[in-house]
Amino acid sequence: MARLYVKIKEQDNVVVAVQDLAAGTEVMEGLKVNQDIPQAHKIALCDIPAGGEIIRYGVVLGYAINDIKRGDWINEHMLALPESPSLDNMEYGTHIVKMEELPAPTRTTWMGYKNAQGPAGTRNLLGIVTTVQCAAGVLKVAVERIKKELLPKYPNVDGVVAVNHPYGCGVAINAPMAHIPIRAITNVIRHPNFGGEIMVVGLGCEKLTYDRVLPPEDITPENVLTLQDYPGHDAMMNAIMEMAEKKLKRLNLRKREELPLSELFIGMQCGGSDAFSGVSANPSAGYAADMLVRGGATVMFSEVTEVRDGVHMLAARCVDAHTRDRLAEEMKWYDKYLEEGGVDRDANPTPGNKQGGLANIVEKAMGSIAKSGTSPIVEVLSPAEKPTKHGLIYGATPASDIVCGPSQVASGIGLQVFMTGRGTPYGLDISPVIKVCSRNEMKNHWFDLIDISAGDVATGEKTIADVGEEIFDMILDVASGVRQPYSDIYGFHNDMCIFNPAPIT
């Protein structure tokens, strides 16, 4: 008989429907559902009085607004949000999994592009970064010419990427929070997939001047190009093409080589989540993350609002007090940021999340954290910071997919694994993105957009370890250039939406 529900913890007083259930369906002995229950939504296992706890993942998701009967459908309209956990004096290091207890990697090397410093590249790209959105139109046209006229001459170069962004002018460049977008642009210039080649295009009158993103020794005619210096279209385009060709000649000399996992830096993100994300896709990705960490790789997970309600769980995995304190510091900053905007953390869930069975941010956070696996957290970073350690890293980025991704890219990830329940064509042009879905229905619907389905975990046909190993293998294959995820096959790449909490003037 097909599995009809999933229960996470023994103390849970709800289960999640594995498929649409008609009213009257007996989901377990002695329990029939009282209404039609949509797939991924919650069913009450007992009578819950008004004010009573609704528990999933062994965690209180919220409190019943009205009486709930055994067998009832529980949705987002029926819960009152609990208080967010305190960030003061959190215990740390109380749940540290030893390295030898993590799942062993099935492979310990991959084929990447060695860099002089930092992680190796998973791609060999010419990256051209703008200092201001004003230059974006020119650069887009120039990149199309580079791809058609120059790139065919350099077969060892995988592509050309124009890094356009909405920052650079009309901004309070010296505002306290301006360092966040400036850091992102600075670090993207030196992304591991760009092979150390610097090519920055500016307009000439913007506030984000070259000295804010490059050290003096790199501000040279070989690396920077100012559009206002050139008389007209042809001169401008010729200058870009000439600079690009010099960079392409050097990049073409790069070759993949066998490297240890310690040279690999992977990002984990989820978006378009549903109630199965924390059952199948995210735990499977977390298993792969544990394999990578044990093998010496660096793995980053992020999304502040989607870990905030499980922050104590993360603190317990922090290796020392400093890491715990950095975690609390980032959470407090974001709490204040939301408060000043007149919202709280429950502004995060989307209509699609709720349609997929996620009642509130607490439930979403419990599933989101699962993608981090069980490894110790060795470092906590601000948005777009680069790691200084190997292992599991927490990067404090917004949860918005299109902002989290660029933040992780700025930190230097060579590849991202992206879990989804509802489906999204999201992708990144600098770092390949592998899509993992939580339900087989999603894979069947988007059979040529989703790379891996974890749906068999929800139905009980596969284990988390089974799918985790499948994800691990695809990570190494894609990082090594022997496989392409669908987002790269089709060129589905999002804009570079960098996080800017500073004022725009």
Side-chain angles (χ1 to χ4, degrees), residues 57-70:
Y57 295 105
V59 170
V60 176
L61 302 184
Y63 302 96
I65 295 172
N66 299 304
D67 292 345
I68 297 172
K69 294 181 180 179
R70 186 171 186 261

Side-chain angles (χ1 to χ4, degrees), residues 167 171-179 182 207-209 212 502-503 505:
Y167 200 69
V171 295
I173 199 73
N174 292 317
M177 290 298 105
H179 71 276
I182 294 172
K207 291 184 177 181
L208 188 66
T209 50
R212 290 182 181 268
T505 61

Side-chain angles (χ1 to χ4, degrees), residues 15-33:
V15 294
V16 170
V18 172
Q19 59 194 40
D20 290 343
L21 299 174
T25 301
E26 187 173 41
V27 294
M28 62 180 71
E29 187 175 353
L31 178 61
K32 293 181 179 181
V33 296

Side-chain angles (χ1 to χ4, degrees), residues 22-277:
T25 301
E26 187 173 41
V27 294
M28 62 180 71
E29 187 175 353
L31 178 61
K32 293 181 179 181
V33 296
N34 301 327
Q35 303 94 11
D36 293 343
I37 310 289
Q39 183 188 42
H41 283 249
K42 290 173 287 300
I43 308 163
L45 293 178
C46 60
D47 291 341
I48 303 172
E53 296 176 342
I54 296 170
I55 302 171
R56 185 180 178 218
Y57 295 105
V59 170
V60 176
L61 302 184
Y63 302 96
I65 295 172
N66 299 304
D67 292 345
I68 297 172
K69 294 181 180 179
R70 186 171 186 261
D72 274 358
W73 170 24
I74 298 178
N75 58 49
E76 71 272 17
H77 304 295
M78 302 167 69
L79 287 75
L81 193 68
E83 290 291 322
S84 56
S86 171
L87 297 168
D88 296 323
N89 302 314
M90 294 186 293
E91 292 189 356
Y92 67 92
T94 58
H95 191 192
I96 301 294
V97 176
K98 295 178 181 178
M99 195 64 70
E100 60 269 22
E101 294 174 355
L102 297 173
T106 51
R107 294 148 65 182
T108 57
T109 62
W110 64 294
M111 301 297 292
Y113 294 99
K114 179 81 173 173
N115 285 312
Q117 58 184 4
T122 63
R123 294 291 183 269
N124 187 25
L125 300 170
L126 172 60
I128 311 175
V129 182
T130 57
T131 57
V132 65
Q133 175 62 207
C134 308
V138 172
L139 188 55
K140 284 179 182 178
V141 172
V143 164
E144 288 306 308
R145 282 192 59 186
I146 293 168
K147 289 178 178 178
K148 291 176 183 177
E149 300 173 29
L150 299 181
L151 198 57
K153 297 192 291 184
Y154 304 101
N156 295 330
V157 182
D158 296 320
V160 183
V161 174
V163 182
N164 294 311
H165 54 83
Y167 200 69
C169 208
V171 295
I173 199 73
N174 292 317
M177 290 298 105
H179 71 276
I180 294 176
I182 294 172
R183 177 171 60 213
I185 296 163
T186 300
N187 287 343
V188 165
I189 291 170
R190 297 188 180 278
H191 192 275
N193 287 353
F194 295 163
E197 294 297 329
I198 296 169
M199 185 168 174
V200 180
V201 176
L203 177 60
C205 57
E206 61 269 27
K207 291 184 177 181
L208 188 66
T209 50
Y210 298 133
D211 60 299
R212 290 182 181 268
V213 294
L214 290 169
E217 62 270 21
D218 288 334
I219 304 174
T220 67
E222 289 73 34
N223 293 335
V224 302
L225 187 153
T226 305
L227 298 181
Q228 289 174 350
D229 289 346
Y230 296 89
H233 173 277
D234 289 355
M236 193 182 293
M237 285 293 169
N238 290 339
I240 294 173
M241 296 287 283
E242 183 180 341
M243 180 182 284
E245 185 149 31
K246 291 177 181 177
K247 305 291 182 181
L248 288 168
K249 285 179 181 177
R250 289 195 288 270
L251 288 170
N252 198 54
L253 300 175
R254 303 183 82 209
K255 305 286 186 184
R256 289 187 185 271
E257 57 184 285
E258 188 171 12
L259 298 170
L261 291 182
S262 58
E263 290 278 359
L264 188 59
F265 181 18
I266 300 299
M268 294 284 176
Q269 189 185 345
C270 54
S273 300
D274 69 357
F276 285 131
S277 293

